[in-house]
Amino acid sequence: MKVLVPVKRVIDYNVKARVKADQTGVDLANVKMSMNPFCEIAVEEAVRLKEKGAATEVVAVSVGPTQAQETLRTALAMGADRAILVQTDQDLEPLAVAKVLKAVIAEENPELVLMGKQAIDGDNNAVGQMLSALLDWPQATFASEVAIGGGKATVTREVDGGLQTIDVSLPAVVTADLRLNEPRYASLPNIMKAKKKPLDVKELGSLGVDTAPRLKVVKVTEPAKRQAGIKVETAADLVSNLKTAGVL
Amino acid sequence: MAVLVIADHDNATLKDNTHKVVTAAQAIGGDVDVLVAGSNTAAIAAEAAKIAGVRKVLTAESAELGQGLAEAMADLVVGLAGGYDHILTPATSQGKNFSPRIAAKLDVAQISDVTEVVSADTFTHPIYAGNAMETVQSGDAKKVLTVRPTAFKAAADGGSASVESVAAPAAPAKTKFVDQKIVKSARPELGGAKIVVSGGRAMGSAEEFQKVIEPLADKLGAAVGASRAAVDAGYAPNDYQVGQTGKVVAPELYVAIGISGAIQHLAGMKDSKVIVAINKDADAPIFQVADFGLVADYKAAVPELMSALTAAGK
């Protein structure tokens, strides 16, 4: 079984995003970038499927700028076999990313697409669902457990108030939630080995996909600031303040 | 112009999120219809019909709709989409699951987690864990949005819309429901609770989390939440998680205990009316958003708070 893992290069999880003064977006100049945390979980799961013998090949794919090659090298160092970069400097919307991935899938024919549930920049939580809709494949989002067997994936999903288990026949799109696994750190020998693994770069234009934006960004602003309040000395002070505030 | 709101329910009762999304729909303008899709819709539809300003309530019933399978929900809504310019879904885990599938089937963008309706084609939503608010104008013929319920007031009751049933789609061929484990809790639901008590990594263990956070929550009649760090460490279940990748809450009172206030946690609770933080680290970022901060070890502070609440008649 071939597993395709889309990954995204995003602002590092620990960096606070700052809005540009001209309100055109978020300032990413000289900001530390990393693999989106949910994509790391997806790569880890795919590599574990290979280690268990359920997958034969893990292909990481990213749609983004030249620097996304670093993100793909990270996936290779974690254990992916090869990587594909669809290179573009455009900031694509989720629907466009899903269309690009569909075109890559037409060439690669994976039986499973395993990807993060959401990227921590746009926070859209949309590409996996859109991709499965475009492919007419079943979807299993927010996975906390994945088992492969008998031409299907049995996926336990994080839902409001608990867990749901569904079977999806392969090929399918599965999106990873936080508790699916704890991604490994790539070892130094594996980082060195990753440099020699194949990384194929395609120009976005070569895929013939319509990636025109559907949304016009009017402005990007700072959220309303919350003022820090007061420090209280004791629990009794706290309770009397809360009574005064009318919330008890 | 007409707006379709997809109701949030648990196959038994209509959830308040629906009323909040109806408010967002009314801000867009035009006729507002509510779709109740599930396995047992009559009582829920009757509730939805009472929301003031709703034109009609559509119901569709099948086992798969009741199980919330995305393929079934998307097939149903895409079939109805011809009559609507906007399709609004509450941004719950259920709504986030199927709404992008609808958008892709209609070949339109989805705007996720809308917090403000600027006009019928322009919407604001948070990006980067709420550290930036993006306003976008959609050029698509149909607008598919998920709406963050906490950003809108619930529409009042007082209407008497008609209820109409529509055909359910065929069962999805490639997805089968296996089972569901929903934790039954006597506590209010996290997303809609008036008071939320959350614990962080400082708890140190699941036992300590239960011993400290749950009694305080019960005393306050509150829902229980947790930081991602506490969920990651296994101290609390995932559906307790408040934050960018968990639930977004905006209760009257949010009590953060032993939570440092990472960006991703603040994204999920900073719109609460009153925030209380108890943390022994006076420099913890949580104090920058807290209305009332108590710099103290929770081990001493929570028992004191329990007695102070008892003394205050709680």
Side-chain angles (χ1 to χ4, degrees):
Chain A
M1 181 180 74
K2 186 197 273 190
V3 184
L4 192 88
V5 188
V7 296
K8 188 174 187 186
R9 176 177 180 266
V10 298
I11 189 168
D12 187 82
Y13 190 77
N14 293 307
V15 177
K16 186 174 191 282
R18 298 204 184 279
V19 171
K20 287 185 194 167
D22 65 0
Q23 302 197 335
T24 56
V26 164
D27 192 0
L28 295 176
N30 303 314
V31 166
K32 186 183 178 202
M33 303 292 279
S34 300
M35 190 193 296
N36 178 46
F38 289 101
C39 301
E40 280 189 324
I41 295 172
V43 172
E44 175 66 34
E45 194 66 16
V47 171
R48 287 187 193 185
L49 287 174
K50 190 179 172 194
E51 287 166 349
K52 275 191 272 189
T56 49
E57 189 183 21
V58 176
V59 182
V61 52
S62 192
V63 183
T66 308
Q67 298 92 318
Q69 290 192 31
E70 296 160 21
T71 313
L72 289 168
R73 291 288 172 203
T74 305
L76 294 170
M78 288 174 72
D81 298 293
R82 59 189 178 85
I84 301 166
L85 172 64
V86 178
Q87 190 168 301
T88 173
D89 287 326
Q90 287 178 53
D91 189 16
L92 299 185
E93 291 171 9
L95 183 62
V97 174
K99 288 180 177 180
V100 171
L101 291 174
K102 185 187 175 190
V104 172
I105 285 163
E107 292 174 5
E108 290 288 333
N109 294 307
E111 282 166 276
L112 180 65
V113 175
L114 195 50
M115 58 196 291
K117 73 165 180 176
Q118 134 184 22
I120 61 163
D121 49 4
D123 277 336
N124 287 297
N125 191 332
V127 175
Q129 296 90 317
M130 288 181 155
L131 176 62
S132 75
L134 297 177
L135 292 164
D136 233 338
W137 288 6
Q139 69 177 55
T141 55
F142 322 151
S144 65
E145 211 179 315
V146 177
I148 306 289
K152 62 180 198 248
T154 300
V155 179
T156 303
R157 305 180 51 241
E158 306 272 7
V159 295
D160 296 319
L163 296 169
Q164 180 190 60
T165 304
I166 59 173
D167 279 346
V168 287
S169 58
L170 299 177
V173 177
V174 173
T175 76
D177 212 323
L178 189 62
R179 291 196 302 178
L180 182 57
N181 59 51
E182 213 164 294
R184 71 193 67 190
Y185 289 100
S187 66
L188 189 59
N190 285 339
I191 293 170
M192 299 310 287
K193 262 195 265 172
K195 292 184 177 169
K196 295 199 181 98
K197 289 183 179 176
L199 194 164
D200 184 18
V201 179
K202 294 175 197 290
E203 282 301 321
L204 175 65
S206 71
L207 292 173
V209 175
D210 171 19
T211 57
R214 306 302 186 83
L215 305 175
K216 188 180 112 193
V217 177
V218 178
K219 61 176 179 180
V220 176
T221 57
E222 294 257 352
K225 280 255 182 305
R226 219 190 148 93
Q227 295 300 316
I230 58 164
K231 293 265 167 64
V232 295
E233 294 301 318
T234 66
D237 281 353
L238 179 59
V239 170
S240 70
N241 272 299
L242 292 176
K243 284 202 133 180
T244 312
V247 289
L248 276 190
Chain B
M1 199 161 66
V3 183
L4 182 66
V5 170
I6 301 172
D8 182 23
H9 65 82
D10 57 4
N11 292 307
T13 53
L14 184 69
K15 297 204 182 162
D16 199 36
N17 286 337
T18 313
H19 300 71
K20 293 173 177 172
V21 178
V22 166
T23 300
Q26 286 166 343
I28 291 168
D31 294 318
V32 178
D33 292 352
V34 174
L35 171 65
V36 179
S39 56
N40 183 16
T41 58
I44 303 162
E47 283 296 306
K50 284 191 223 154
I51 303 174
V54 171
R55 176 178 64 172
K56 65 181 175 189
V57 176
L58 304 174
T59 63
E61 280 194 12
S62 74
E64 293 74 24
L65 292 171
Q67 292 151 357
L69 297 187
E71 292 83 351
M73 289 298 296
D75 284 353
L76 172 66
V77 177
V78 169
L80 298 169
Y84 298 96
D85 308 286
H86 295 77
I87 297 165
L88 273 57
T89 302
T92 58
S93 66
Q94 163 73 337
K96 290 173 181 179
N97 181 41
F98 65 73
S99 182
R101 194 170 179 99
I102 297 169
K105 290 278 186 196
L106 295 172
D107 193 31
V108 301
Q110 168 175 286
I111 305 170
S112 301
D113 255 328
V114 167
T115 54
E116 190 191 344
V117 174
V118 178
S119 72
D121 66 358
T122 305
F123 309 92
T124 302
H125 69 147
I127 55 173
Y128 289 87
N131 285 304
M133 303 302 292
E134 183 185 56
T135 302
V136 291
Q137 183 175 27
S138 168
D140 284 322
K142 290 186 195 300
K143 281 82 174 162
V144 173
L145 321 180
T146 61
V147 175
R148 181 174 286 187
T150 56
F152 296 89
K153 284 206 168 72
D157 279 350
S160 55
S162 59
V163 178
E164 239 173 67
S165 80
V166 296
K174 300 171 194 166
T175 304
K176 296 266 173 299
F177 173 86
V178 179
D179 69 1
Q180 184 138 301
K181 291 190 189 88
I182 299 297
V183 181
K184 292 258 182 291
S185 170
R187 296 193 187 99
E189 205 184 344
L190 184 54
K194 287 204 162 51
I195 304 180
V196 173
V197 178
S198 286
R201 183 159 42 192
M203 299 299 114
S205 70
E207 294 71 36
E208 184 75 358
F209 189 96
Q210 282 163 18
K211 205 176 86 190
V212 173
I213 302 300
E214 297 190 357
L216 179 59
D218 291 341
K219 194 159 189 76
L220 289 166
V224 177
S227 67
R228 174 176 162 166
V231 171
D232 267 354
Y235 306 161
N238 189 65
D239 60 312
Y240 280 20
Q241 194 200 142
V242 172
Q244 179 185 16
T245 58
K247 288 206 171 56
V248 176
V249 301
E252 297 281 301
L253 174 60
Y254 187 90
V255 185
I257 297 174
I259 291 178
S260 63
I263 296 166
Q264 96 92 29
H265 185 73
L266 300 182
M269 46 65 82
K270 67 185 168 55
D271 295 325
S272 305
K273 190 171 159 219
V274 172
I275 296 173
V276 168
I278 299 176
N279 198 305
K280 66 179 173 186
D281 175 9
D283 296 325
I286 191 80
F287 288 120
Q288 290 164 21
V289 300
D291 299 283
F292 303 111
L294 178 57
V295 181
D297 189 336
Y298 77 85
K299 287 191 167 116
V302 172
E304 281 166 27
L305 181 56
M306 295 282 282
S307 348
L309 286 167
T310 307
K314 276 280 162 182

